[in-house]
Amino acid sequence: MYKSIVTALSLLGLGLMAPANAQQLSLVTEEYPPYNMSEAKGQVGGISTQIVKALLAEAGLKHDVTIYPWARAISMARAQPNTCVYSMSRTPERESLYKWIGPLVYNDWALFALTDKIQEPRPTRLEDLMDARIGSYQGDAIVSYLQTRGHRVDVAPSDEVNPKKLQMGRIDYWATGRLIGQYRLQQQGIQGITPVLNFKRSEMYLACNLQMPDDLVKRLNAGLLSLDKQGVIKKIYAGFGYTP
């Protein structure tokens, strides 16, 4: 899986150098549009993907990117050296399991509901919905966030099935990222589902195996700040029709 990496490359604007005999980074992610998603010819794209690729290209680090089910992707980054997973919400439960680069992007967590089932006034707090059945999916940080607050969470194997579950009445609300939810509805051609409550803003990171050298993590974080100051991240968002 791993290939040799160039031993010494000057880094644009950063002055970084790849360590001698370092191995190629393996990046793993999930289908989580518009942040990370499959594109034509087996390529992986999305807002987070483009930010990560820009960061590693400027750092002179070779890498490959593969999409897996989320639970598998986060396990691979924990177990395999030179492996990083994105876009990962940084939670207290995960803090000691990875080394963190970011935040790459921000993700507003939202509840979606069937438009014709929304009761007025709309909910303004999660605490108003303690009896509701809320759908999420395996491995997502939203699951533990809701469960630790006493909510009933219906955990699906993937997020793609949750709009249909909402239509079928199997759940009352669908909890996901606001942009992700809107993208999935458009992709599946589903109407009549509306975001009703933003309940948390999550920062999402590139989370790397604990064996990654601290110096490299520090330098990549500095590189990410440099990309932001150069306007690169804002330009990537704009290419997808969003404003960071």
Side-chain angles (χ1 to χ4, degrees):
M1 178 181 292
Y2 308 121
K3 300 177 181 178
S4 297
I5 189 171
V6 288
T7 58
L9 288 176
S10 296
L11 306 173
L12 301 176
L14 299 179
L16 303 179
M17 295 187 70
N21 300 319
Q23 292 178 305
Q24 173 169 311
L25 290 180
S26 288
L27 305 181
V28 294
T29 188
E30 64 169 338
E31 291 284 0
Y32 200 61
Y35 297 106
N36 11 283
M37 55 191 178
S38 298
E39 293 184 338
K41 299 181 180 179
Q43 298 299 305
V44 181
I47 297 171
S48 296
T49 303
Q50 288 197 12
I51 293 171
V52 171
K53 286 182 176 181
L55 174 63
L56 297 185
E58 192 160 348
L61 293 171
K62 291 184 178 180
H63 60 276
D64 54 58
V65 188
T66 308
I67 287 178
Y68 293 99
W70 186 238
R72 180 178 178 188
I74 61 179
S75 295
M76 290 175 68
R78 284 185 61 185
Q80 299 178 9
N82 301 313
T83 302
C84 302
V85 60
Y86 72 96
S87 303
M88 170 81 90
S89 295
R90 188 171 182 172
T91 65
E93 297 83 7
R94 293 171 172 169
E95 182 66 33
S96 64
L97 303 179
Y98 305 91
K99 293 188 177 179
W100 300 90
I101 297 161
L104 302 173
V105 292
Y106 296 90
N107 181 25
D108 288 324
W109 292 355
L111 294 182
F112 287 74
L114 293 175
T115 307
D116 60 4
K117 298 289 187 182
I118 297 173
Q119 296 183 357
E120 299 293 347
R122 297 190 180 194
T124 58
R125 313 179 305 160
L126 279 176
E127 290 80 359
D128 298 331
L129 302 171
M130 297 306 299
D131 294 329
R133 298 166 299 168
I134 302 176
S136 186
Y137 71 102
Q138 184 178 5
D140 191 24
I142 290 177
V143 174
S144 59
Y145 181 88
L146 292 174
Q147 288 177 336
T148 57
R149 286 158 176 79
H151 293 277
R152 297 163 55 195
V153 185
D154 189 303
V155 183
S158 69
D159 203 31
E160 289 87 346
V161 304
N162 281 314
K164 293 291 187 183
K165 289 173 65 176
L166 191 57
Q167 286 183 317
M168 296 169 62
R170 294 173 55 189
I171 54 177
D172 302 310
Y173 294 92
W174 165 34
T176 189
R178 190 180 181 99
L179 292 187
I180 292 91
Q182 293 171 337
Y183 182 94
R184 291 200 190 286
L185 293 172
Q186 181 180 13
Q187 185 185 46
Q188 296 180 26
I190 295 176
Q191 298 180 348
I193 294 178
T194 305
V196 294
L197 173 65
N198 283 11
F199 61 91
K200 181 177 173 61
R201 168 159 282 195
S202 168
E203 297 176 339
M204 297 198 296
Y205 287 71
L206 179 67
C208 296
N209 183 271
L210 289 174
Q211 293 188 33
M212 176 170 281
D214 289 335
D215 183 63
L216 181 55
V217 172
K218 181 178 179 180
R219 290 169 185 260
L220 287 174
N221 272 306
L224 190 61
L225 289 175
S226 177
L227 289 179
D228 189 29
K229 290 179 181 179
Q230 295 171 42
V232 173
I233 293 175
K234 185 176 181 180
K235 187 174 181 180
I236 290 172
Y237 265 90
F240 289 86
Y242 300 114
T243 300

